[in-house]
Structure formats: structure tokens, C-alpha cells
Amino acid sequence: MVRQGTQPLNDYLRIFEALNDAVERLGKVSDSPRLDAELLLACALEVQRSYLFAHPEDEIDPAAAIRFESALKNRINGMPMAYIAGEKEFWSMPLIVSPATLIPRPDTELLVEQVLIRIPQRAEWKIADLGTGSGAIALAIAKERRLCHVTATDISEDALSVACENAQLLALPNIEFSAGDWTTPIAGSVFDLVVSNPPYVATKDPHLAALQFEPTLALDAGKDGLDAIRRLAESVPDILRPGGSLLLEHGFEQAPIVSDILRRSGWCNIALINDLEGRPRVTAANRSRDRYTSYSS
Ligand code: GLN
């Protein structure tokens, strides 16, 4: 709520004053202090951001001021904007996120794009997204390919409940969720395509410290950051039809080793896909038509 009116209410902060004060405090921790301050204040006041520009002199009521201060403190302590707002846009969809889920990255849209290239428009395929988190990848696919059925798994029940809520808010009926470790909850099913953005950061990678608010489970993949990818390379053939595709996101420096892992596990047609900056961030491969021939060749 915003207090409007002309009488002077000097005990309350005005919008422009609150913003200026917040920008100064956020300058020490954020690359975009003004934008952050505006988004946080708009959220605390439950108004659109544009309202702030149209009503800079409005005074902020005490309840909103308390909400704003608490959000500001979280941001100053390094909490990502997405967790404070509880929302992040991915593939033009507003998604709920919580600290139980990784914040969807724009980078991951490359993975979605590459999946969609491989699914014909009218295909009625069964697709699996392993380690779905907020459901970003699975929901984007379900949205773009309404005739396909997407199954999304995650070991974290808290993450899956966020993904499930997102599916309901987006009114996507062609998606289901299954709790468990990688392929375990869907053992016995056969899919046409499997996709995953698994954890791929090495335990001692200094980059992990900067991601302290995000779930370690979704990021840390052991000593060399490849534990999850090795696990997927071994287990996905059990749930994929012969000739079916697997697409994985990984760090750009991991591309050669990811190819090697897939080759050793009998995958064929291994292809690296570069992002817009020319860095290989996605690898695609096909399940051999005869896994066992390929293993021995
Ligand atoms: N791209 C993320 C990062 O390094 C890592 C995501 C992941 O491990 N799947 O910030």
C-alpha cells in the first residue's frame, strides 16, 4: 500500500528517498543497485515498477517499509534477486523459484532450443527431464510441444513441489513429476528423448562460494564436477529407445571430457553445441541401436 495525499507525513519515507537510500546501500554488493532497489520496493509496495516513477513523492506505509527493509537486508547479504522475489523468468514463462531449486539461467535456454530442434512439431513423444529443479526445462518443452508428454524427476521433493506448482500456474497438462534419483523413479519406462541440466561444478571450484544461496545438491558434482554426468551416461540408455537422443548442459571446459564419458558408455553421434559466445555448453548424443555392439567397438 502507498499513502497518497497532499498532507505532509514527515514520519514516513517517500518513494524517491527510500530508493536513493537503497541504491547507496546496494551499490556495495550489486552490479545493478538501482534496478534491484526499484524491483524490491515495487514488490514491497505490491505495485508495478512504473508506479514508482509516476509517484516518487508518495509516502510508504510502515508495513511496506518493514517488508522493504527486510528484502533489502537479504539482498545486501548476497541473496539473489530471484529468491527474494520468489520468481524468475525463463523461456518467457514466469517461474516460481525457492532456495530448494536452482535459479534458471538464460544459458539453459540453449539446451531447450536444442531439444526442440530435435522434436518434430507434431511428434507425440515421451520426454524425460532429469533433475528438473523448478521445472524450467520440462515446462518449456511441454509448452512448445503440446502433443508430447514430459516426465520430470528430481531427488528433492521440495524442488518437485515448486515444479508442480509452476505446471499448475502455467496450466500445462502434458507434464508429470516423479520424485527420486535420476532415472530411478522412471525405471521400466522408455522415452524418445532425455534431457538434463545436472550439477556439474567441482566441489572445490571457488565459483561454488558465489552460489552459496543455491542448493549444493543442484550444483556440486564431486571432485571433478562430472559425477552426475557419468551417472547419466551409464543409466539413461536403460530408459531411452534405441536411436533416442540425450542432451546435457555442462561447463564449457568440460566438453571434451563429457564427449569422452559418453563415448565410453556406448553413445554415438556425439555432438557439441556452442552458445552465442562460441563456447560448447551442450552435448547431444544418441543411444546406439545396438548398445552392446557399440560397447565392444
Ligand atoms: N550454470 C551454473 C553455474 O555455474 C551451474 C548449473 C549446474 O551445475 N547445473 O552458475
Side-chain angles (χ1 to χ4, degrees):
M1 279 295 291
V2 177
R3 285 176 68 142
Q4 295 195 44
T6 47
Q7 78 272 37
L9 293 165
N10 293 331
D11 48 336
Y12 295 136
L13 212 56
R14 292 171 191 275
I15 282 179
F16 78 92
E17 291 166 337
L19 280 178
N20 288 343
D21 173 59
V23 170
E24 199 182 310
R25 290 165 68 195
L26 286 165
K28 298 177 190 90
V29 292
S30 168
D31 295 334
S32 51
R34 181 149 294 271
L35 177 64
D36 289 6
E38 288 168 1
L39 292 170
L40 295 176
L41 186 55
C43 193
L45 291 169
E46 295 164 350
V47 296
Q48 297 287 320
R49 206 171 127 226
S50 55
Y51 186 98
L52 309 177
F53 313 133
H55 304 89
E57 302 281 345
D58 276 8
E59 305 198 344
I60 300 167
D61 76 39
I66 290 169
R67 285 198 295 274
F68 182 49
E69 184 56 29
S70 138
L72 202 54
K73 282 203 176 113
N74 282 335
R75 184 70 189 120
I76 289 167
N77 287 332
M79 186 182 281
M81 283 297 290
Y83 287 150
I84 301 172
E87 196 181 286
K88 175 79 184 178
E89 191 176 288
F90 180 81
W91 201 263
S92 302
M93 304 178 294
L95 295 183
I96 296 172
V97 293
S98 87
T101 70
L102 200 70
I103 299 167
R105 315 281 204 260
D107 313 30
T108 303
E109 293 187 344
L110 173 69
L111 183 62
V112 172
E113 243 171 64
Q114 289 298 318
V115 166
L116 294 176
I117 286 172
R118 287 164 175 79
I119 313 175
Q121 281 288 345
R122 312 282 314 155
E124 297 180 17
W125 284 8
K126 285 176 70 184
I127 316 285
D129 172 26
L130 308 180
T132 196
S134 64
I137 299 166
L139 293 162
I141 299 168
K143 180 181 169 209
E144 300 296 338
R145 292 292 184 274
R146 303 287 175 132
L147 302 178
C148 290
H149 186 82
V150 184
T151 305
T153 74
D154 205 292
I155 196 168
S156 158
E157 304 225 2
D158 289 342
L160 270 194
S161 67
V162 171
C164 207
E165 209 181 329
N166 280 322
Q168 276 160 10
L169 289 172
L170 294 164
L172 290 167
N174 53 334
I175 183 162
E176 70 181 298
F177 300 94
S178 205
D181 201 14
W182 302 121
T183 58
T184 316
I186 47 177
S189 303
V190 178
F191 295 86
D192 299 285
L193 184 146
V194 175
V195 59
S196 182
N197 173 15
Y200 53 76
V201 183
T203 306
K204 291 206 172 139
D205 189 325
H207 182 60
L208 265 188
L211 305 172
Q212 53 165 321
F213 285 91
E214 298 193 74
T216 310
L217 190 66
L219 292 162
D220 183 345
K223 202 168 175 216
D224 60 0
L226 292 159
D227 284 359
I229 288 177
R230 273 190 287 267
R231 176 85 191 272
L232 291 167
E234 283 297 315
S235 60
V236 170
D238 295 337
I239 57 151
L240 189 61
R241 70 163 158 81
S245 299
L246 168 67
L247 285 99
L248 296 172
E249 179 179 308
H250 48 72
F252 69 96
E253 288 166 325
Q254 294 171 324
I257 179 90
V258 170
S259 290
D260 202 47
I261 291 170
L262 290 169
R263 199 172 302 112
R264 283 166 195 267
S265 300
W267 291 86
C268 57
N269 303 333
I270 298 163
L272 301 183
I273 295 129
N274 289 344
D275 64 12
L276 288 175
E277 290 167 55
R279 297 173 310 185
R281 294 294 311 282
V282 167
T283 294
N286 291 106
R287 192 194 137 175
S288 312
R289 293 198 183 267
D290 180 348
R291 289 167 69 179
Y292 301 100
T293 307
S294 169
Y295 270 119
S296 55
S297 62

